[in-house]
Amino acid sequence: MKLKLKNVFLAYFLVSIAGLLYVLASHVTQKDLRISQLQAELRRPPPAPAQPPEPEALPTIYVVTPTYARLVQKAELVRLSQTLSLVPRLHWLLVEDAEGPTPLVSGLLAVSGLLFTHLVVLMPKAQQLRDGKPGWVHPRGVKRRNKALDWLWGRGGAVGGEKDPPPPGTQGVVYLADSDNTYSQELFEEMRWTYGVSVWPVGLVGGLRFEGPQVQDGWVVGFHKVWEPNRPFPVDMAGFAVALPLLLAKPNAQFDSTAPRSHLESSLLSHLVDPKDLEPQAANCTRVLMSLTPTEKPKMKQEEQLQRQGRGSDPAIEV
Amino acid sequence: MKLKLKNVFLAYFLVSIAGLLYVLASHVTQKDLRISQLQAELRRPPPAPAQPPEPEALPTIYVVTPTYARLVQKAELVRLSQTLSLVPRLHWLLVEDAEGPTPLVSGLLAVSGLLFTHLVVLMPKAQQLRDGKPGWVHPRGVKRRNKALDWLWGRGGAVGGEKDPPPPGTQGVVYLADSDNTYSQELFEEMRWTYGVSVWPVGLVGGLRFEGPQVQDGWVVGFHKVWEPNRPFPVDMAGFAVALPLLLAKPNAQFDSTAPRSHLESSLLSHLVDPKDLEPQAANCTRVLMSLTPTEKPKMKQEEQLQRQGRGSDPAIEV
């Protein structure tokens, strides 16, 4: 009887120890599992910094800039490229007035960090001096701007950067941004979601503090302007943006090189939209988010003097 | 005897079980420790994206910009703020010619995203029109630039932004950057590691493609220039940068408002450095990384016409 009791005690003891061991072992296994979970979490790359909204989902802004060789060419393009580099989902279409891509422009694009397409088209000499009239009689940059539209339509012509045009169905907007204007970053977000043609005020143009659409109940009902009041679309080149799908649907919409200078914008827009359907941006056109800021032409009197003496500034140094 | 053997067996068994339990328990404790270590690692903020070298270790660039109210004021400051926002470890000292901080400049600084100090100093009316001579006879912006130097020396005067001057021992460099020039990003990295006074070429100045130091074996031996050749330091305001410790060591180094305009830079630099000790940057002064690009004064003929009729551009809209 004494021995029997001990056996019962021993059996009970062994069973409870086995149970305890089982619980402990499974506890250790759970902890091992938790450790490997935590290690996996640590190995996972950190989440990208928050960029609301996700840039991949944004329509692309195609910025068209015509350029030509002159003393302030590089300075203006450097400054514009800095502005554009602050804007997500942007594709710069830079169109040179030249026979081929120049080292100055190719080099600048290469270090810009921007997604770009480099295009080139030469303005015929005859057109430059047409009729012996001064340059401003005929609009400038028409061939270059049309060259960029041609590329968007898939008619090729790229000499550098991204050569393929936007694939069908690309959501985007096209903006004609000359290199001598000043653009706030906010402007680009105003134009990004354009369904037809967006418009906004332009500062320091037409002899006024600003020109711009007049808006009532969200519709454009007129324009604040004085200069050339009979323009069908009294907007500056940098005062509107066109939805890419709308532009691609109108393959005959081009700038007309025979249009009087102040009617150049209208020569494109009349293919695309009725003035009453313009989409007012920039808080119903009550904010000026860009201005015309042409650069003074540099004086080169001393340079010419030195060059006559064969001591001009080193031409190998790019300015 | 039989019972004794069992007692021995039982004692041995209990001791070994106790040992096993101890080992298991300490194992669990170790795993708990590992789990809390891993959880702590996960809670730690992710490392900042690689920016070689570590920005905290970079000397700060103090950029001094004088500004005054005029039509292109906002446009120029917007454009410059965009350039500066691309440069790490930069502190903008913006000095207004005004009685107090204006809403235009305060608002622009607030949304710039830059580290800044807002300073204000009014040019006395008498000085503006002194001797009835035109503005260019006397140098402009002297009081404003000296106001920024005063702040660096701990003489206060900030009306917005960071109010405390750099703490003693701050590594940095001071650059006088007017709002109408064009600066490449690279320029700021050239000037960042300045031990005394750095210099480089300046584009589109003095009637030349560029003016700049002539360098032999790493030393400045002369200057490429024509205009005012007798300046002790024939460099533009934006053609040099001064190490902060050097400037702080010379509390009498200021711009001299009585200096002829072309000698303004020399009036500061002659306190700080011997011309032969200037530090040439920008690949031994063979690259032009900044240019003078003054903005044309906007014509306001139509605005004046409308204002006479009481129909001027809405003054509540900031341009």
Side-chain angles (χ1 to χ4, degrees):
Chain A
M1 185 65 192
K2 206 178 178 184
L3 192 71
K4 216 175 166 185
L5 191 67
K6 277 201 176 134
N7 278 348
V8 168
F9 167 73
L10 193 68
Y12 169 78
F13 185 77
L14 285 176
V15 166
S16 67
I17 286 292
L20 184 64
L21 284 177
Y22 174 78
V23 167
L24 271 170
S26 75
H27 199 58
V28 168
T29 311
Q30 274 173 13
K31 285 191 189 291
D32 279 335
L33 188 66
R34 181 77 187 121
I35 285 175
S36 51
Q37 279 171 350
L38 287 169
Q39 282 171 334
E41 271 184 65
L42 272 172
R43 275 194 302 271
R44 200 182 301 157
Q51 285 182 317
E54 172 57 38
E56 284 305 309
L58 292 176
T60 300
I61 301 176
Y62 294 90
V63 172
V64 175
T65 304
T67 184
Y68 66 101
R70 65 203 186 287
L71 283 164
V72 300
Q73 179 181 32
K74 187 179 177 186
E76 284 192 354
L77 293 177
V78 161
R79 204 151 52 171
L80 178 57
S81 73
Q82 290 170 347
T83 304
L84 300 183
S85 73
L86 297 168
V87 182
R89 290 288 277 182
L90 184 145
H91 186 138
W92 197 16
L93 309 182
L94 188 55
V95 197
E96 278 197 84
D97 178 13
E99 286 190 38
T102 62
L104 186 149
V105 172
S106 299
L108 188 142
L109 285 169
V111 301
S112 70
L114 293 164
L115 175 62
F116 69 87
T117 296
H118 188 174
L119 298 149
V120 167
V121 64
L122 190 64
M123 190 200 288
K125 278 251 161 58
Q127 197 179 334
Q128 287 177 39
L129 306 166
R130 193 167 48 177
D131 320 328
K133 288 179 186 164
W136 52 261
V137 171
H138 296 292
R140 301 180 76 162
V142 177
K143 274 196 94 159
R144 279 168 283 157
R145 294 191 184 96
N146 283 338
K147 185 83 181 176
L149 302 187
D150 278 347
W151 179 83
L152 288 168
W153 278 308
R155 295 173 195 153
V159 295
E162 175 60 48
K163 302 219 171 145
D164 294 330
T170 299
Q171 289 303 305
V173 62
V174 181
Y175 181 47
L176 298 138
D178 287 356
S179 63
D180 55 354
N181 302 330
T182 298
Y183 309 93
S184 82
Q185 272 175 267
E186 280 178 284
L187 177 70
F188 296 93
E189 300 319 316
E190 292 287 327
M191 75 177 69
R192 196 185 291 279
W193 300 94
T194 291
Y195 299 95
V197 175
S198 282
V199 286
W200 50 80
V202 174
L204 309 178
V205 67
L208 297 176
R209 285 181 66 240
F210 62 88
E211 272 185 6
Q214 290 159 326
V215 178
Q216 256 175 31
D217 304 324
W219 298 95
V220 173
V221 296
F223 293 88
H224 174 64
K225 56 162 201 304
V226 175
W227 193 64
E228 290 276 356
N230 295 325
R231 295 174 279 169
F233 292 86
V235 294
D236 183 81
M237 190 62 76
F240 67 90
V242 181
L244 182 67
L246 173 64
L247 182 78
L248 295 183
K250 312 271 184 175
N252 293 321
Q254 289 231 324
F255 290 103
D256 178 2
S257 66
T258 65
R261 189 173 59 153
S262 55
H263 288 251
L264 188 59
E265 294 85 352
S266 299
S267 79
L268 176 76
L269 287 172
S270 55
H271 288 282
L272 298 172
V273 70
D274 196 279
K276 71 172 171 37
D277 294 327
L278 293 169
E279 297 158 29
Q281 307 291 353
N284 276 327
C285 299
T286 62
R287 297 186 64 204
V288 175
L289 297 176
M290 59 127 333
S291 289
L292 264 52
T293 46
T295 313
E296 278 181 19
K297 194 178 170 194
K299 295 180 184 73
M300 286 290 116
K301 206 173 87 178
Q302 281 77 3
E303 186 71 52
E304 289 154 15
Q305 180 185 327
L306 284 189
Q307 282 176 357
R308 278 192 297 270
Q309 305 163 5
R311 302 189 297 125
S313 305
D314 185 349
I317 295 183
E318 190 180 87
V319 177
Chain B
M1 183 69 189
K2 207 180 175 184
L3 192 70
K4 212 175 174 185
L5 189 69
K6 273 200 181 136
N7 279 347
V8 168
F9 168 73
L10 194 67
Y12 169 78
F13 184 78
L14 286 173
V15 166
S16 68
I17 285 293
L20 183 65
L21 283 176
Y22 175 77
V23 168
L24 269 171
S26 74
H27 198 60
V28 167
T29 310
Q30 275 174 13
K31 283 191 191 290
D32 279 337
L33 189 67
R34 181 79 186 119
I35 285 174
S36 52
Q37 280 172 348
L38 287 169
Q39 282 171 334
E41 271 186 62
L42 272 172
R43 275 194 302 271
R44 200 182 303 157
Q51 284 183 317
E54 172 57 36
E56 283 306 309
L58 291 177
T60 300
I61 302 175
Y62 293 89
V63 172
V64 175
T65 304
T67 184
Y68 65 102
R70 64 204 187 285
L71 282 164
V72 299
Q73 179 181 32
K74 187 179 178 185
E76 284 192 355
L77 292 177
V78 161
R79 205 150 51 172
L80 178 57
S81 73
Q82 290 170 347
T83 303
L84 301 183
S85 73
L86 297 168
V87 182
R89 290 287 276 181
L90 185 144
H91 186 139
W92 197 15
L93 310 183
L94 190 54
V95 196
E96 278 196 84
D97 178 13
E99 287 190 37
T102 61
L104 187 148
V105 172
S106 299
L108 187 142
L109 285 168
V111 301
S112 70
L114 294 164
L115 175 63
F116 68 88
T117 296
H118 187 174
L119 297 150
V120 168
V121 63
L122 189 65
M123 190 199 288
K125 278 252 159 57
Q127 197 178 335
Q128 287 176 37
L129 305 166
R130 194 166 48 176
D131 317 332
K133 287 179 188 165
W136 51 263
V137 170
H138 296 292
R140 302 181 75 161
V142 176
K143 273 195 94 154
R144 279 168 282 156
R145 293 190 186 97
N146 283 339
K147 184 83 182 176
L149 302 187
D150 278 345
W151 180 82
L152 288 169
W153 277 309
R155 296 173 196 152
V159 294
E162 176 58 48
K163 302 219 170 145
D164 294 331
T170 299
Q171 289 304 304
V173 62
V174 181
Y175 181 47
L176 298 137
D178 286 357
S179 63
D180 55 354
N181 301 330
T182 298
Y183 310 92
S184 83
Q185 272 174 267
E186 279 177 284
L187 177 70
F188 296 94
E189 300 318 316
E190 293 287 327
M191 75 176 69
R192 195 184 291 279
W193 300 95
T194 291
Y195 299 95
V197 176
S198 282
V199 285
W200 50 79
V202 175
L204 309 178
V205 67
L208 296 176
R209 285 180 67 240
F210 61 88
E211 272 185 5
Q214 289 159 327
V215 179
Q216 256 175 31
D217 304 324
W219 298 96
V220 174
V221 295
F223 292 88
H224 173 64
K225 56 160 201 305
V226 175
W227 193 65
E228 290 275 359
N230 294 325
R231 294 174 280 169
F233 292 86
V235 295
D236 183 81
M237 190 61 76
F240 67 90
V242 180
L244 181 67
L246 173 64
L247 182 79
L248 295 185
K250 311 271 184 177
N252 293 320
Q254 288 232 324
F255 290 102
D256 177 2
S257 66
T258 66
R261 190 172 58 152
S262 55
H263 288 251
L264 187 60
E265 294 84 353
S266 300
S267 79
L268 177 76
L269 287 173
S270 55
H271 288 282
L272 298 172
V273 70
D274 196 277
K276 70 172 170 39
D277 294 327
L278 293 169
E279 297 157 30
Q281 306 292 352
N284 276 326
C285 299
T286 62
R287 298 185 64 203
V288 175
L289 298 176
M290 59 124 336
S291 290
L292 265 52
T293 45
T295 313
E296 279 181 17
K297 193 177 172 198
K299 296 180 183 75
M300 286 291 116
K301 206 173 86 178
Q302 281 77 5
E303 187 71 53
E304 288 152 16
Q305 180 184 326
L306 283 190
Q307 281 175 358
R308 278 192 297 272
Q309 303 164 5
R311 300 190 297 124
S313 305
D314 184 350
I317 295 182
E318 190 180 86
V319 176

